[in-house]
Amino acid sequence: MSAVLEELHKTRPRSGFIRFSVVFFALLLLAPLLTFFVGFAELAKPQRQANVARFFGELVPYSLRDKPSGITDYAEWYFQMWEKSGAYAMGITFAMSLVAIMLAGLIAFFLSPFAARTLMNRDPYLTQGASAGPWQILTWLSRALLMFMRAIPEYIWAFIFLVLFGPSAWPAVLALALHNAGVLGRLQAETIENLNPTPLRSLRALGASRFRLFFAAIAPMSFSRFLLFFFARWEMCVRESTVLGLIGIVSLGYYIQDARARNFYDEMLFFILLGALLVVIGDVLSTVLRRYLRRD
Amino acid sequence: MSSEFYRLENVSVKYGDTYALQDVSCTIFSGERVAIVGPSGAGKSTLLGLLNGGIQATEGEVYVDLQQLSRFDETALQTHRSRVGFVYQHHNLVPTIRVIQNVMSARLGRFSLFEAIRRFVYSNAEEQEEVYNLLKRLGIEEKIFHFVEQLSGGQRQRVAIARALYQEPHTLLADEPVASLDPARARETLKLFSTIAKNDELTLCMSLHQVELAEGYIDRVIGIRDGKLVFDRLSSELQASELEELYTIQDLAICV
Amino acid sequence: MFRTKRNLGRRFFVAAVMGLLALVAAFTLDLSVLSLLEAMTANKATINFFTAAFMPAFDYQAIEVPDSAPHFLLRLLEASWMTVWYAAGGMAVALLIGTSFGFFCSSFWWVEGQVKNREQRKLIAQFAFLTYFGARTLMTLCRSVHELLWAVLFLAAFGVSEVSAMLAIGIPAGGMLAKIFAEIIDESDHGPAEALRACGLGSFRTFIFAQCPTALPDLVAYLLYRFECALRSSAVLGFFGLPTIGFYLAASFENLHYREVWSYLYALFFLVIIVDVWSSAIRRRIQR
């Protein structure tokens, strides 16, 4: 009886790969966590603590330090900062994200059909499992390109472009556009692959070329999903464009970097909070827009 | 047959302004096998929910073993529910874990949290054997260590039955157990439920679309329509005309 | 039919408005395509840089390399490993934050709390609502500050250290994890949990024995996607002085060693590909 059970237990379906993955990732996460806690304990030492305490003290606005001040004083200081440069920086950051996501959307939308396997084969939609033939090369190339664009973070692209193209808003915009086009393009390619093939098949049977198929059917059919991804990525774009200023483009990040370089930690905190506010605004806007688009 | 086990007295259940059940009274005896029949949306699932305490009556009173269900406190209700096995229409199994874990999770409320987690992860030999025997009765003992998502629909239903039986229930409730099966399979499944109930001396309550399939496997038929009790007969006394009425008047109601 | 048409119109309307706004934004930012083209062609380095893409370096480009420096490929490996190391540490912190707060951010356990006593239930619901709301606000704060801004803060507070880096990666990622975990858990099938509740299990037990396993495939997929993001963040933290890919990349770039730069870019590319492939392999196996 239990022998049978044991036999069943031995032959139970299991995946060595999953086991390996679990153990691997558990170790991979645990090891640095240990050093993290050791480092954290280090921070608790007295003189380190004093440093940290001083830092937090410096987050308080300079003019308000060492004297009793109410909420109105803080509000006044923050409002002054907002008028001085906060509003301008926020506007620039927002504008950058807008241009960037638009560019990203355009690149992704027209690059994605090349990465869709259902479209890039010898006989799309008509022959089941048609061999890819030379089209395969196109798919692989565009997929690799999208993947590469996605793999390199905006910050690195911006760093490189800033030196190559000189100072303007272009490096930041291009960097944002490139990375997000990578993400959007891949998602859009997957959407195209998952489209309902029936109407496409009948169009194709009527003799539509791949080009016409894309513009007449695939593009409008996939447009709504694309817009949902588009706004989700826009949210991320707003988030990223705040920090791209750290390398010298006049967005919020620039002011943060500037304040940090001058050790004005109170101003630095102000701009960081402003960045957070901008992200929340982008978050709400994108959610509202997506809900508006989903509504029938 | 034997003693009264469930009694509904003028029970109504309201969702918002609509009645799911209206003024229903009936009695179910211990060890009885009952089919609740009626068209879709008649309130069959609500009736089952009342019996296992998952749904509370808006008006009227449900008695379990002569005690008022509404007077049960948290623990008593928990105890009552743990003794009622429920087989859902969509089985409601966790697909990503093994059959044995799914079956065993029925008893995890009995242990301390730590002990429950330990048993969930590493079942001991006695438990394995118990689950194995249970599955053997249902003919799927080979699948004990398989993942639920690897099983067919019929096999999943058997796992769901095994989970319900592992609760050591006094009552077995089944919501539309044969809804998506062909007649031959449906009869086989109903036979399985019936034999289990008989052998383990369980009170069995199934909601069905068609009572004809259950012929010979049930003791009593309760017909409901639009939340109201239409008939309550021993299956031997059931008239064909009553069944016809149950469905045809429904059609008329839609026409009007 | 009519409805679909109107909806499509709305989509094009939104897209057109976005396009218009983008144009306005482009004007305010003073972006002109001509000036970009000019800038691109003016600098010879641009061509050098992009041609270097086809011949990434396998050895140092510098003529004189200090003897103490390891072989270039070893350095590449080391940089990649450090990138993974900080990303993993960050993810560990994020998991601690994300799973604990994700639980509170989920509406699963308080909406469906099943305490029968009405007074008690009201009290618990109020308390639960407060923690739910508090947890959500806290997590929003965590994730709306970008990881690099967290890095700026922590580097200023704690100096260049592992703790700063891992906190910087972990806090915003934790906020995202908590939000998405809660969403996944709320959206996945509640049937199994209902079944276990009917077996007499409490809310917390149904949560860990039914709801979490049901949502597992999606949770794992999202976790691995976040790991990929953490890899990128970790690479960028190199620009702030941590020994990850970004650090060496910046140094090579400033020395005009463009082929080395591409080697680092490709290394990051490979790391991301590995995680991506791994993720889809895992998903294939747990979602048969």
Side-chain angles (χ1 to χ4, degrees), chain C residues 44-69:
Chain C
K44 241 193 101 200
T46 311
I47 300 157
N48 288 342
F49 178 77
F50 284 106
T51 45
F54 299 101
M55 36 184 178
F58 295 103
D59 206 342
Y60 289 108
Q61 272 185 284
I63 301 153
E64 277 178 52
V65 182
D67 291 335
S68 58

PDB file of all heavy atoms in Angstrom, chain C residues 44-69:
ATOM      1  N   LYS C  44      31.769  64.430 -35.226  1.00  0.00           N
ATOM      2  CA  LYS C  44      32.299  63.207 -35.836  1.00  0.00           C
ATOM      3  C   LYS C  44      32.196  62.019 -34.890  1.00  0.00           C
ATOM      4  O   LYS C  44      32.146  60.861 -35.322  1.00  0.00           O
ATOM      5  CB  LYS C  44      33.767  63.426 -36.237  1.00  0.00           C
ATOM      6  CG  LYS C  44      33.972  63.273 -37.750  1.00  0.00           C
ATOM      7  CD  LYS C  44      35.446  63.178 -38.080  1.00  0.00           C
ATOM      8  CE  LYS C  44      35.858  61.737 -38.322  1.00  0.00           C
ATOM      9  NZ  LYS C  44      37.288  61.506 -38.192  1.00  0.00           N
ATOM     10  N   ALA C  45      32.167  62.361 -33.611  1.00  0.00           N
ATOM     11  CA  ALA C  45      32.075  61.298 -32.604  1.00  0.00           C
ATOM     12  C   ALA C  45      30.817  60.463 -32.787  1.00  0.00           C
ATOM     13  O   ALA C  45      30.811  59.265 -32.496  1.00  0.00           O
ATOM     14  CB  ALA C  45      32.095  61.916 -31.206  1.00  0.00           C
ATOM     15  N   THR C  46      29.757  61.096 -33.305  1.00  0.00           N
ATOM     16  CA  THR C  46      28.497  60.376 -33.495  1.00  0.00           C
ATOM     17  C   THR C  46      28.702  59.164 -34.394  1.00  0.00           C
ATOM     18  O   THR C  46      28.294  58.052 -34.067  1.00  0.00           O
ATOM     19  CB  THR C  46      27.457  61.309 -34.136  1.00  0.00           C
ATOM     20  OG1 THR C  46      27.438  62.530 -33.404  1.00  0.00           O
ATOM     21  CG2 THR C  46      26.089  60.686 -34.128  1.00  0.00           C
ATOM     22  N   ILE C  47      29.380  59.411 -35.531  1.00  0.00           N
ATOM     23  CA  ILE C  47      29.615  58.315 -36.472  1.00  0.00           C
ATOM     24  C   ILE C  47      30.516  57.259 -35.835  1.00  0.00           C
ATOM     25  O   ILE C  47      30.239  56.063 -35.902  1.00  0.00           O
ATOM     26  CB  ILE C  47      30.226  58.854 -37.772  1.00  0.00           C
ATOM     27  CG1 ILE C  47      29.250  59.858 -38.394  1.00  0.00           C
ATOM     28  CG2 ILE C  47      30.525  57.729 -38.738  1.00  0.00           C
ATOM     29  CD1 ILE C  47      29.915  60.835 -39.327  1.00  0.00           C
ATOM     30  N   ASN C  48      31.562  57.735 -35.181  1.00  0.00           N
ATOM     31  CA  ASN C  48      32.472  56.801 -34.509  1.00  0.00           C
ATOM     32  C   ASN C  48      31.729  55.935 -33.514  1.00  0.00           C
ATOM     33  O   ASN C  48      31.926  54.726 -33.445  1.00  0.00           O
ATOM     34  CB  ASN C  48      33.574  57.563 -33.769  1.00  0.00           C
ATOM     35  CG  ASN C  48      34.558  58.162 -34.736  1.00  0.00           C
ATOM     36  OD1 ASN C  48      34.628  57.753 -35.906  1.00  0.00           O
ATOM     37  ND2 ASN C  48      35.301  59.149 -34.284  1.00  0.00           N
ATOM     38  N   PHE C  49      30.864  56.607 -32.781  1.00  0.00           N
ATOM     39  CA  PHE C  49      30.153  55.878 -31.735  1.00  0.00           C
ATOM     40  C   PHE C  49      29.275  54.787 -32.329  1.00  0.00           C
ATOM     41  O   PHE C  49      29.300  53.643 -31.884  1.00  0.00           O
ATOM     42  CB  PHE C  49      29.304  56.838 -30.906  1.00  0.00           C
ATOM     43  CG  PHE C  49      28.498  56.147 -29.846  1.00  0.00           C
ATOM     44  CD1 PHE C  49      29.103  55.715 -28.675  1.00  0.00           C
ATOM     45  CD2 PHE C  49      27.151  55.884 -30.030  1.00  0.00           C
ATOM     46  CE1 PHE C  49      28.384  55.064 -27.713  1.00  0.00           C
ATOM     47  CE2 PHE C  49      26.423  55.222 -29.073  1.00  0.00           C
ATOM     48  CZ  PHE C  49      27.043  54.815 -27.908  1.00  0.00           C
ATOM     49  N   PHE C  50      28.505  55.146 -33.371  1.00  0.00           N
ATOM     50  CA  PHE C  50      27.568  54.154 -33.890  1.00  0.00           C
ATOM     51  C   PHE C  50      28.256  53.063 -34.706  1.00  0.00           C
ATOM     52  O   PHE C  50      27.777  51.937 -34.752  1.00  0.00           O
ATOM     53  CB  PHE C  50      26.441  54.830 -34.672  1.00  0.00           C
ATOM     54  CG  PHE C  50      25.441  55.461 -33.761  1.00  0.00           C
ATOM     55  CD1 PHE C  50      25.384  56.838 -33.606  1.00  0.00           C
ATOM     56  CD2 PHE C  50      24.593  54.678 -33.006  1.00  0.00           C
ATOM     57  CE1 PHE C  50      24.470  57.416 -32.735  1.00  0.00           C
ATOM     58  CE2 PHE C  50      23.683  55.246 -32.127  1.00  0.00           C
ATOM     59  CZ  PHE C  50      23.634  56.618 -31.997  1.00  0.00           C
ATOM     60  N   THR C  51      29.377  53.365 -35.333  1.00  0.00           N
ATOM     61  CA  THR C  51      30.087  52.289 -36.038  1.00  0.00           C
ATOM     62  C   THR C  51      30.718  51.318 -35.030  1.00  0.00           C
ATOM     63  O   THR C  51      30.870  50.134 -35.317  1.00  0.00           O
ATOM     64  CB  THR C  51      31.180  52.835 -36.964  1.00  0.00           C
ATOM     65  OG1 THR C  51      31.908  53.832 -36.262  1.00  0.00           O
ATOM     66  CG2 THR C  51      30.591  53.409 -38.236  1.00  0.00           C
ATOM     67  N   ALA C  52      31.040  51.850 -33.862  1.00  0.00           N
ATOM     68  CA  ALA C  52      31.631  50.979 -32.835  1.00  0.00           C
ATOM     69  C   ALA C  52      30.654  49.896 -32.400  1.00  0.00           C
ATOM     70  O   ALA C  52      31.062  48.881 -31.826  1.00  0.00           O
ATOM     71  CB  ALA C  52      32.071  51.805 -31.629  1.00  0.00           C
ATOM     72  N   ALA C  53      29.365  50.097 -32.692  1.00  0.00           N
ATOM     73  CA  ALA C  53      28.364  49.092 -32.309  1.00  0.00           C
ATOM     74  C   ALA C  53      28.672  47.741 -32.936  1.00  0.00           C
ATOM     75  O   ALA C  53      28.356  46.694 -32.383  1.00  0.00           O
ATOM     76  CB  ALA C  53      26.979  49.564 -32.735  1.00  0.00           C
ATOM     77  N   PHE C  54      29.299  47.761 -34.113  1.00  0.00           N
ATOM     78  CA  PHE C  54      29.548  46.511 -34.830  1.00  0.00           C
ATOM     79  C   PHE C  54      30.843  45.842 -34.412  1.00  0.00           C
ATOM     80  O   PHE C  54      31.159  44.759 -34.877  1.00  0.00           O
ATOM     81  CB  PHE C  54      29.526  46.763 -36.338  1.00  0.00           C
ATOM     82  CG  PHE C  54      28.199  47.286 -36.789  1.00  0.00           C
ATOM     83  CD1 PHE C  54      28.015  48.638 -37.040  1.00  0.00           C
ATOM     84  CD2 PHE C  54      27.110  46.434 -36.924  1.00  0.00           C
ATOM     85  CE1 PHE C  54      26.777  49.126 -37.426  1.00  0.00           C
ATOM     86  CE2 PHE C  54      25.873  46.914 -37.305  1.00  0.00           C
ATOM     87  CZ  PHE C  54      25.708  48.264 -37.557  1.00  0.00           C
ATOM     88  N   MET C  55      31.629  46.524 -33.573  1.00  0.00           N
ATOM     89  CA  MET C  55      32.859  45.873 -33.102  1.00  0.00           C
ATOM     90  C   MET C  55      33.084  46.174 -31.628  1.00  0.00           C
ATOM     91  O   MET C  55      33.960  46.943 -31.281  1.00  0.00           O
ATOM     92  CB  MET C  55      34.046  46.315 -33.950  1.00  0.00           C
ATOM     93  CG  MET C  55      33.950  47.760 -34.384  1.00  0.00           C
ATOM     94  SD  MET C  55      35.313  48.187 -35.472  1.00  0.00           S
ATOM     95  CE  MET C  55      34.899  49.877 -35.830  1.00  0.00           C
ATOM     96  N   PRO C  56      32.253  45.567 -30.793  1.00  0.00           N
ATOM     97  CA  PRO C  56      32.457  45.764 -29.362  1.00  0.00           C
ATOM     98  C   PRO C  56      33.839  45.261 -28.940  1.00  0.00           C
ATOM     99  O   PRO C  56      34.384  44.346 -29.552  1.00  0.00           O
ATOM    100  CB  PRO C  56      31.342  44.923 -28.731  1.00  0.00           C
ATOM    101  CG  PRO C  56      30.973  43.925 -29.768  1.00  0.00           C
ATOM    102  CD  PRO C  56      31.169  44.624 -31.075  1.00  0.00           C
ATOM    103  N   ALA C  57      34.377  45.895 -27.920  1.00  0.00           N
ATOM    104  CA  ALA C  57      35.743  45.573 -27.501  1.00  0.00           C
ATOM    105  C   ALA C  57      35.781  44.267 -26.717  1.00  0.00           C
ATOM    106  O   ALA C  57      34.849  43.939 -25.991  1.00  0.00           O
ATOM    107  CB  ALA C  57      36.273  46.709 -26.643  1.00  0.00           C
ATOM    108  N   PHE C  58      36.871  43.515 -26.888  1.00  0.00           N
ATOM    109  CA  PHE C  58      37.132  42.349 -26.049  1.00  0.00           C
ATOM    110  C   PHE C  58      38.373  42.566 -25.204  1.00  0.00           C
ATOM    111  O   PHE C  58      38.767  41.721 -24.435  1.00  0.00           O
ATOM    112  CB  PHE C  58      37.274  41.089 -26.904  1.00  0.00           C
ATOM    113  CG  PHE C  58      35.987  40.738 -27.595  1.00  0.00           C
ATOM    114  CD1 PHE C  58      35.813  41.015 -28.938  1.00  0.00           C
ATOM    115  CD2 PHE C  58      34.937  40.165 -26.897  1.00  0.00           C
ATOM    116  CE1 PHE C  58      34.620  40.711 -29.564  1.00  0.00           C
ATOM    117  CE2 PHE C  58      33.746  39.864 -27.515  1.00  0.00           C
ATOM    118  CZ  PHE C  58      33.580  40.147 -28.858  1.00  0.00           C
ATOM    119  N   ASP C  59      39.006  43.706 -25.403  1.00  0.00           N
ATOM    120  CA  ASP C  59      40.166  44.068 -24.595  1.00  0.00           C
ATOM    121  C   ASP C  59      40.148  45.574 -24.415  1.00  0.00           C
ATOM    122  O   ASP C  59      39.414  46.274 -25.107  1.00  0.00           O
ATOM    123  CB  ASP C  59      41.460  43.619 -25.285  1.00  0.00           C
ATOM    124  CG  ASP C  59      42.553  43.389 -24.258  1.00  0.00           C
ATOM    125  OD1 ASP C  59      42.409  43.892 -23.123  1.00  0.00           O
ATOM    126  OD2 ASP C  59      43.527  42.706 -24.595  1.00  0.00           O
ATOM    127  N   TYR C  60      40.985  46.065 -23.503  1.00  0.00           N
ATOM    128  CA  TYR C  60      41.009  47.510 -23.283  1.00  0.00           C
ATOM    129  C   TYR C  60      41.397  48.225 -24.560  1.00  0.00           C
ATOM    130  O   TYR C  60      42.267  47.783 -25.300  1.00  0.00           O
ATOM    131  CB  TYR C  60      42.003  47.871 -22.177  1.00  0.00           C
ATOM    132  CG  TYR C  60      41.532  47.452 -20.822  1.00  0.00           C
ATOM    133  CD1 TYR C  60      42.136  46.385 -20.159  1.00  0.00           C
ATOM    134  CD2 TYR C  60      40.488  48.116 -20.192  1.00  0.00           C
ATOM    135  CE1 TYR C  60      41.700  45.992 -18.902  1.00  0.00           C
ATOM    136  CE2 TYR C  60      40.049  47.730 -18.938  1.00  0.00           C
ATOM    137  CZ  TYR C  60      40.655  46.671 -18.312  1.00  0.00           C
ATOM    138  OH  TYR C  60      40.228  46.283 -17.075  1.00  0.00           O
ATOM    139  N   GLN C  61      40.747  49.374 -24.789  1.00  0.00           N
ATOM    140  CA  GLN C  61      41.126  50.169 -25.943  1.00  0.00           C
ATOM    141  C   GLN C  61      42.320  51.054 -25.624  1.00  0.00           C
ATOM    142  O   GLN C  61      43.050  51.458 -26.521  1.00  0.00           O
ATOM    143  CB  GLN C  61      39.947  51.039 -26.390  1.00  0.00           C
ATOM    144  CG  GLN C  61      39.022  50.346 -27.360  1.00  0.00           C
ATOM    145  CD  GLN C  61      37.964  51.302 -27.848  1.00  0.00           C
ATOM    146  OE1 GLN C  61      37.025  51.615 -27.136  1.00  0.00           O
ATOM    147  NE2 GLN C  61      38.130  51.779 -29.071  1.00  0.00           N
ATOM    148  N   ALA C  62      42.496  51.373 -24.362  1.00  0.00           N
ATOM    149  CA  ALA C  62      43.603  52.248 -23.970  1.00  0.00           C
ATOM    150  C   ALA C  62      44.930  51.568 -24.278  1.00  0.00           C
ATOM    151  O   ALA C  62      45.052  50.341 -24.214  1.00  0.00           O
ATOM    152  CB  ALA C  62      43.499  52.570 -22.488  1.00  0.00           C
ATOM    153  N   ILE C  63      45.923  52.374 -24.633  1.00  0.00           N
ATOM    154  CA  ILE C  63      47.222  51.803 -24.959  1.00  0.00           C
ATOM    155  C   ILE C  63      47.948  51.398 -23.681  1.00  0.00           C
ATOM    156  O   ILE C  63      48.526  50.333 -23.588  1.00  0.00           O
ATOM    157  CB  ILE C  63      48.055  52.815 -25.768  1.00  0.00           C
ATOM    158  CG1 ILE C  63      47.277  53.159 -27.045  1.00  0.00           C
ATOM    159  CG2 ILE C  63      49.418  52.234 -26.127  1.00  0.00           C
ATOM    160  CD1 ILE C  63      47.583  54.512 -27.610  1.00  0.00           C
ATOM    161  N   GLU C  64      47.869  52.282 -22.691  1.00  0.00           N
ATOM    162  CA  GLU C  64      48.520  51.952 -21.430  1.00  0.00           C
ATOM    163  C   GLU C  64      47.480  51.585 -20.385  1.00  0.00           C
ATOM    164  O   GLU C  64      46.600  52.382 -20.080  1.00  0.00           O
ATOM    165  CB  GLU C  64      49.318  53.152 -20.926  1.00  0.00           C
ATOM    166  CG  GLU C  64      50.689  53.240 -21.584  1.00  0.00           C
ATOM    167  CD  GLU C  64      51.429  54.474 -21.106  1.00  0.00           C
ATOM    168  OE1 GLU C  64      51.527  54.647 -19.866  1.00  0.00           O
ATOM    169  OE2 GLU C  64      51.862  55.245 -21.957  1.00  0.00           O
ATOM    170  N   VAL C  65      47.594  50.375 -19.922  1.00  0.00           N
ATOM    171  CA  VAL C  65      46.667  49.930 -18.894  1.00  0.00           C
ATOM    172  C   VAL C  65      47.492  49.596 -17.667  1.00  0.00           C
ATOM    173  O   VAL C  65      48.513  48.915 -17.779  1.00  0.00           O
ATOM    174  CB  VAL C  65      45.902  48.669 -19.362  1.00  0.00           C
ATOM    175  CG1 VAL C  65      44.909  48.227 -18.308  1.00  0.00           C
ATOM    176  CG2 VAL C  65      45.211  48.940 -20.672  1.00  0.00           C
ATOM    177  N   PRO C  66      47.071  50.091 -16.486  1.00  0.00           N
ATOM    178  CA  PRO C  66      47.826  49.746 -15.278  1.00  0.00           C
ATOM    179  C   PRO C  66      47.849  48.228 -15.084  1.00  0.00           C
ATOM    180  O   PRO C  66      46.886  47.536 -15.393  1.00  0.00           O
ATOM    181  CB  PRO C  66      47.046  50.452 -14.160  1.00  0.00           C
ATOM    182  CG  PRO C  66      45.747  50.876 -14.764  1.00  0.00           C
ATOM    183  CD  PRO C  66      45.991  51.028 -16.216  1.00  0.00           C
ATOM    184  N   ASP C  67      49.017  47.740 -14.586  1.00  0.00           N
ATOM    185  CA  ASP C  67      49.184  46.294 -14.442  1.00  0.00           C
ATOM    186  C   ASP C  67      48.161  45.679 -13.497  1.00  0.00           C
ATOM    187  O   ASP C  67      47.796  44.510 -13.628  1.00  0.00           O
ATOM    188  CB  ASP C  67      50.600  45.994 -13.909  1.00  0.00           C
ATOM    189  CG  ASP C  67      51.634  46.327 -14.973  1.00  0.00           C
ATOM    190  OD1 ASP C  67      51.263  46.303 -16.165  1.00  0.00           O
ATOM    191  OD2 ASP C  67      52.789  46.628 -14.618  1.00  0.00           O
ATOM    192  N   SER C  68      47.728  46.503 -12.547  1.00  0.00           N
ATOM    193  CA  SER C  68      46.816  45.954 -11.541  1.00  0.00           C
ATOM    194  C   SER C  68      45.430  45.671 -12.112  1.00  0.00           C
ATOM    195  O   SER C  68      44.660  44.911 -11.532  1.00  0.00           O
ATOM    196  CB  SER C  68      46.695  46.933 -10.365  1.00  0.00           C
ATOM    197  OG  SER C  68      46.231  48.174 -10.859  1.00  0.00           O
ATOM    198  N   ALA C  69      45.110  46.285 -13.264  1.00  0.00           N
ATOM    199  CA  ALA C  69      43.764  46.114 -13.810  1.00  0.00           C
ATOM    200  C   ALA C  69      43.567  44.693 -14.309  1.00  0.00           C
ATOM    201  O   ALA C  69      44.448  44.123 -14.934  1.00  0.00           O
ATOM    202  CB  ALA C  69      43.540  47.098 -14.955  1.00  0.00           C
TER     203      ALA C  69
END
